[in-house]
Amino acid sequence: MLSKCNARFLMKKTRMVVRASVFIKEGTEIFHSYSRIIWGTMTRIYHLLRTKHFICKCERCSDPTEFGTYMTAIYCKECKGKVIPINPLKSESNWKCEECKTIVTGTQVGELMSVLGSILNGCDRVVSDIQRILNFLNSKLLNIVPENNLVVVEIKYKMIWTLGHEKGLTWKEIPIDLLITKKKFCEDILRLLKQLRTGQCKMRGLLLFELFECLEEIKSRGHKQSDVDFEKSEKSLEEAANILKYDVSAPDLIKHKWQILESLWYK
C-alpha cells in the first residue's frame, strides 16, 4: 500500500496528455472514434452495434460516399460505375449505382465483401505471399472495387507494416521495386486520411515516419529521387515528431527529432 507521501509524489510526476487531432471551435461537439478509422462505414457500424450497442450518425457515417472516398463502394457489373448504399445507417438497405441506377441488395454486397475479406485474412506476412497479394490487388481486386475500398486499403496498410519489418523483408533486404511500392502505399493512405478529415491522428504520425524511413532507404541506395522527395523526407519526420511527441512508444528517432525542434523553438 502506498504511503501518502509516495502517492503525492506519483501524482506530481504522472500526467495524461489528451490532444485533439483537428482544431475544435468553441461550442463544437467533440467526437471520438471507437473503431479503426480506415474501416468502411458498413464495417464500423457493425462493430459499434456489436460492441458498443449504438449506431453512429456522424457526418461521415451518414454520407454514402464517406467524404468522396468511396471506402465501402464496389463497381457496378453493368457499367463499372460506383455502387453505394442508399442508406448507409441501415445494414438491410439496398445499394444503387451512381451511373446506371442499378439496384444491388445489401446481402449481395455483404457476401462479396466477406469473400474479399477472407482472402485478405488468409495472406501471411511472408516473402512468398507478398507478390501473390500484390498480383491479386492489381489484376483482380481493382477491377471489382475502387482504389479506396476498405479491402484495398487494408492490403496496402498490411503491406506497409510487412515491408521493412518482417524477416526476409527488412529495410536492407527489400528489393527496390517493393520499397517504391511501400512509398506509394504510404502516400496513398496519407491522402485518404486527409480526405477523411482525420487531422493529426496517431496513424498519420506513424505513416509519416514509415514514409520518412522509406525515402531515406531509397536515398541510401543511390536511387534517383526528385527534389520533392528529398524535401518530403525531412518534412515527414518533422510532422511525425510533432504528432507523436507525447507517445511513449514512439521510435527513438522521433523523440530525438522532437527534442531538437523543441530546443530550436524555445531559444
Side-chain angles (χ1 to χ4, degrees), residues 46 91 188 254:
Y46 173 76
S91 59
D188 288 346
I254 287 283

Side-chain angles (χ1 to χ4, degrees), residues 74 76 83 93-97 102-109:
I74 62 173
C76 176
V83 178
S93 170
N94 284 334
W95 293 46
K96 183 191 287 187
C97 174
T102 294
I103 298 294
V104 181
T105 68
T107 301
Q108 289 174 309
V109 175

Side-chain angles (χ1 to χ4, degrees), residues 8 17 251 261:
R8 283 197 298 269
V17 177
L261 290 173

Side-chain angles (χ1 to χ4, degrees), residues 6-122:
N6 286 335
R8 283 197 298 269
F9 174 78
L10 286 174
M11 287 175 67
K12 287 180 181 179
K13 291 292 183 179
T14 305
R15 65 175 182 169
M16 178 184 288
V17 177
V18 179
R19 302 176 73 202
S21 62
V22 296
F23 179 76
I24 304 174
K25 292 182 180 179
E26 185 178 354
T28 304
E29 185 177 1
I30 296 175
F31 291 92
H32 172 71
S33 177
Y34 288 95
S35 62
R36 290 189 70 186
I37 55 179
I38 56 170
W39 282 350
T41 296
M42 185 167 62
T43 306
R44 293 197 320 279
I45 284 182
Y46 173 76
H47 171 76
L48 289 174
L49 192 58
R50 188 167 60 89
T51 62
K52 307 297 180 184
H53 311 294
F54 74 91
I55 293 177
C56 179
K57 297 180 181 179
C58 72
E59 190 178 356
R60 177 184 170 187
C61 288
S62 303
D63 180 0
T65 73
E66 295 193 52
F67 301 145
T69 61
Y70 292 93
M71 285 196 70
T72 310
I74 62 173
Y75 281 137
C76 176
K77 290 182 179 179
E78 303 298 326
C79 71
K80 289 299 180 181
K82 294 184 180 76
V83 178
I84 56 176
I86 295 172
N87 185 346
L89 301 181
K90 291 187 176 180
S91 59
E92 69 274 14
S93 170
N94 284 334
W95 293 46
K96 183 191 287 187
C97 174
E98 286 187 317
E99 301 298 327
C100 70
K101 311 306 177 185
T102 294
I103 298 294
V104 181
T105 68
T107 301
Q108 289 174 309
V109 175
E111 288 173 351
L112 172 62
M113 296 308 293
S114 179
V115 170
L116 295 177
S118 65
I119 293 172
L120 173 63
N121 292 332

